[in-house]
Amino acid sequence: MEKIIISPSILSADFANLSAEINAVKSAGAKWIHVDVMDGHFVPNITIGVPVVKSLRKATDLVLDTHLMIENPLKYIEPFAKAGSDILTFHFEACENEKEIEEVIKVIKSYGIKAGISIKPKTEPEVLFPFLDKIDLVLIMTVEPGFGGQEFMHECALKIPKIKEKSGEELIIQVDGGINNLTSKICTSLGAASLVAGSYIFGHEDYKKAIDSLY
Ligand code: DX5
Ligand code: ZN
């Protein structure tokens, strides 16, 4: 049970009180913090960038799990790594070709941090097979990236066993979007090891109850 890693997405937190929000989810048992970076191009929404990650790094020792929903990820790996991300996850769809993906992974790894690749709902999991032995995490989006509070897409969860079957023990399969106390169980029973949850946790009056109900 405790092996499942919960990564609360601060997208649904109170941005004016981020430090307090992070301490609150830490006290509630979270070990990771999911940071959603959106550029208004790769996704229609704009959220936060490097300065916020830098400030979060000073404010917490939790693992900073940074999800880059941006075009041209290669350009931004260095600043997000130097800002203090522990994990950098970029989107398969944001890259032109296999060579670029390999390069992004290499640059992330050069900072001694974990590399993840994410796929949107319409992207087949097989596209990730060539990279599974080079990365630490696969992030399967269970909503269209861009906004919190959307409904879980059940068909996306079926990608979990497909990735699991082809990957080693070490690879972390993470899901993101529409995770609550019911959909979390679907994902973990299929093999997800990490759950991102935004509105479910931060919309709950008791963060600990919310987190505990995800296991
Ligand atoms: C959506 C983001 C998610 C988002 C999830 O594009 O990647 O991390 O915060 O929000 P919920 O848990 O509310 O679906
Ligand atoms: Zn995310």
Side-chain angles (χ1 to χ4, degrees), residues 9 11-12 34 36 38 67 69 141 143-150 176-179 196-200:
S9 163
L11 190 57
S12 293
H34 187 81
D36 286 303
M38 304 188 192
H67 178 192
M69 284 161 277
M141 290 305 302
V143 298
E144 277 301 334
F147 300 91
Q150 302 180 77
D176 182 5
I179 298 298
V196 176
S199 54
Y200 180 71

Side-chain angles (χ1 to χ4, degrees), residues 6-26 30-38 45-57 59-60 62-67 69 80 85 147-149 174 176 195-203 207 211:
I6 309 294
S7 196
S9 163
I10 57 166
L11 190 57
S12 293
D14 177 1
F15 274 28
N17 289 300
L18 264 190
S19 196
E21 292 277 62
I22 285 165
N23 286 331
V25 286
K26 184 180 176 180
K31 303 275 188 290
W32 289 18
I33 292 290
H34 187 81
V35 183
D36 286 303
V37 176
M38 304 188 192
N45 199 4
I46 299 178
T47 54
I48 55 171
V50 174
V52 175
V53 176
K54 224 181 207 169
S55 295
L56 290 174
R57 182 70 294 157
T60 186
L62 293 179
V63 170
L64 292 181
D65 165 29
T66 306
H67 178 192
M69 284 161 277
F80 278 105
S85 299
F147 300 91
Q174 184 179 56
D176 182 5
L195 307 167
V196 176
S199 54
Y200 180 71
I201 294 175
F202 288 103
Y207 295 170
I211 288 176

Side-chain angles (χ1 to χ4, degrees), residues 175-191:
V175 286
D176 182 5
I179 298 298
N180 57 34
N181 59 323
L182 301 174
T183 55
S184 64
K185 290 7 171 248
I186 297 170
C187 295
T188 51
S189 68
L190 288 168

